[in-house]
Amino acid sequence: MSKKIDSTPRADGYRMPGEFEPHAGCWMIWPERTDNWRNGAKPAQKAFAEVAEAIAEHEPVTMCVSERQYMAAKEVLSPRVRVVEMSSDDSWMRDVGPTFVVNGKGDVRGVDWRFNAWGGLVDGLYFPWDKDDKVAVKVCEMEGKDYYSLESFILEGGSIHTDGDGTAIVTEACLLHESRNPDLTKHEIENTLRDYLGVEKVLWLPNGIYLDETNEHVDNIVHYCAPGVLVLAWTDDENDPQYPLSKAALDYLEGETDARGRKLEIHKIHIPDEVLITKEESQGVDSVDGTLPRVEGDRQAASYANFYIANGAVILPVFGDDVHDRAAVETLRKVFPDRKIVSIYAREIILGGGNIHCITQQQPLG
Ligand code: KQY
């Protein structure tokens, strides 16, 4: 049994743990919409299945699949991935799933934010999104976890990271965007994060990754690897439009401390060479009014920071750029000496607008 709770995680002594803390498992959603994923979503399904199988070597994975695709997904996925039937509008569990919070006694609860497809009627990526907005509660109910439900506060899980030790990090570009919570001040937004993530300090990066269609989610530019330790998507090319965005993030982080007063240790990871949509890729996507089009030549917001930290492993997107792929693996080996670094070719995922972190949601062990 699971029920809605009318207080806040902070009031009840709950906090959002760091992703690097132990997990009970991972949640994902099977991709199928043909106006976002090319060729009937078959190449994306293969990539999602690879991600699920890689994570399942380290922790239990549940794949949520529509009634229409249920049997097909079971054919592709190995028996170690649990498949459950669930409706959704697309496949971004990070953004539509619950944010799990824990207390000191090992109890786990969910937070159900409001979801508007990354911008609602202002600049949302598809319409409608009502099924997505119900996913968080369904996951909590399936797991028998009580949950907090915000009435009107819009937030996606990919727009927050926490260190589990009092600090959250977000971008101004996303959280202060007119398409999210335009009636709230920065101070009010920060207070909501404090109440529902159980943090004391919020770090505000100005921007995320250039052309990121989520209005620059934080999970594509930085990743908390341990309290006080972050990786940052970087470029040495001062002529790249990403340069001023990453430089501003670095300058900001170097001048900040976290909730415990620690200086931040920042590891730069160079972004891959440009990932541009090919003509064939563009032509494989159904063109539908109201869904963001996939246009030949458009640059994708490809970044290695969009990885998933599993129990004992890091599942890293790579892009077929040998030099930068290898450098990303090497950096992560240093940052995570006790975890296996598992690279997955993620072009088919970035073509849909996000990456491995965006399609996964950890459930902490508590
Ligand atoms: O990156 C994400 N968190 C989600 C991207 C959504 C793209 C929808 N086409």
Side-chain angles (χ1 to χ4, degrees):
M1 269 298 284
S2 127
K3 62 179 183 310
K4 179 171 173 290
I5 298 179
D6 283 326
S7 57
T8 66
R10 162 180 293 284
D12 297 340
Y14 282 76
R15 64 173 178 105
M16 180 186 171
E19 193 176 317
F20 40 81
E21 294 182 45
H23 297 177
C26 175
W27 290 81
M28 296 179 66
I29 305 175
W30 192 243
E32 67 172 277
R33 52 182 305 158
T34 55
D35 57 350
N36 194 52
W37 304 105
R38 72 190 185 107
N39 300 353
K42 290 296 152 211
Q45 289 172 358
K46 189 163 169 284
F48 275 54
E50 277 175 40
V51 171
E53 300 292 346
I55 298 172
E57 279 199 26
H58 302 274
E59 61 193 43
V61 176
T62 303
M63 184 70 76
C64 301
V65 186
S66 73
E67 184 264 336
R68 213 157 54 111
Q69 276 286 310
Y70 187 84
M71 294 313 290
K74 287 200 56 111
E75 277 299 313
V76 176
L77 294 163
S78 76
R80 69 180 168 188
V81 176
R82 175 171 75 149
V83 177
V84 299
E85 192 176 310
M86 193 182 291
S87 320
S88 64
D89 296 295
D90 200 358
S91 47
W92 306 97
M93 189 54 106
R94 175 67 48 188
D95 293 339
V96 304
T99 298
F100 286 104
V101 290
V102 299
N103 69 5
K105 292 189 264 174
D107 302 316
V108 177
R109 290 178 175 169
V111 177
D112 166 37
W113 315 95
R114 298 278 58 77
F115 177 77
N116 71 355
W118 309 273
L121 299 181
V122 177
D123 65 347
L125 300 180
Y126 49 71
F127 179 91
W129 52 80
D130 55 304
K131 293 189 191 70
D132 278 345
D133 200 20
K134 296 189 178 81
V135 167
V137 168
K138 289 181 180 175
V139 168
C140 291
E141 285 175 344
M142 228 169 238
E143 288 296 290
K145 302 294 181 203
D146 294 343
Y147 56 91
Y148 304 90
S149 204
L150 289 93
E151 215 167 276
S152 59
F153 188 78
I154 303 284
L155 186 122
E156 305 94 42
S159 70
I160 49 168
H161 263 311
T162 58
D163 69 353
D165 195 25
T167 314
I169 185 163
V170 302
T171 66
E172 291 182 343
C174 181
L175 269 75
L176 302 186
H177 197 276
E178 56 168 334
S179 66
R180 297 314 200 279
N181 298 289
D183 299 333
L184 299 183
T185 63
K186 183 174 181 179
H187 184 67
E188 288 166 329
I189 291 171
E190 190 164 312
N191 279 340
T192 305
L193 297 179
R194 285 169 192 257
D195 285 345
Y196 285 86
L197 300 177
V199 296
E200 285 110 59
K201 181 162 184 176
V202 180
L203 299 173
W204 290 86
L205 299 183
N207 292 97
I209 294 289
Y210 176 61
L211 294 182
D212 187 324
E213 64 195 56
T214 64
N215 305 112
E216 303 176 32
H217 272 184
V218 77
D219 71 345
N220 212 15
I221 184 163
V222 294
H223 207 132
Y224 253 119
C225 305
V229 183
L230 291 148
V231 297
L232 167 68
W234 182 256
T235 175
D236 292 327
D237 179 358
E238 295 189 13
N239 295 317
D240 189 311
Q242 181 57 40
Y243 183 81
L245 312 187
S246 289
K247 178 73 167 73
L250 181 66
D251 291 346
Y252 171 80
L253 291 170
E254 284 181 339
E256 273 295 339
T257 53
D258 65 16
R260 302 283 166 252
R262 279 180 289 249
K263 291 288 290 175
L264 300 164
E265 179 184 317
I266 300 149
H267 298 264
K268 293 178 187 167
I269 301 190
H270 204 287
I271 56 172
D273 288 345
E274 277 191 319
V275 175
L276 306 175
I277 303 181
T278 65
K279 182 174 182 183
E280 190 195 348
E281 287 166 347
S282 163
Q283 286 178 341
V285 180
D286 290 346
S287 174
V288 167
D289 191 25
T291 302
L292 188 78
R294 301 287 167 203
V295 179
E296 179 187 357
D298 275 2
R299 172 169 163 166
Q300 301 301 97
S303 154
Y304 299 102
N306 209 305
F307 54 80
Y308 177 74
I309 308 175
N311 291 340
V314 172
I315 316 300
L316 172 72
V318 293
F319 303 95
D321 166 348
D322 282 351
V323 172
H324 295 120
D325 287 358
R326 204 170 313 128
V329 171
E330 274 165 25
T331 302
L332 289 178
R333 278 206 184 112
K334 281 187 206 128
V335 176
F336 293 103
D338 300 329
R339 289 179 207 252
K340 184 172 166 192
I341 310 300
V342 183
S343 303
I344 297 208
Y345 183 60
R347 184 175 180 95
E348 294 298 338
I349 309 178
I350 193 62
L351 286 174
N355 224 309
I356 292 176
H357 195 254
C358 313
I359 64 169
T360 50
Q361 179 66 252
Q362 70 278 3
Q363 180 176 333
L365 193 55

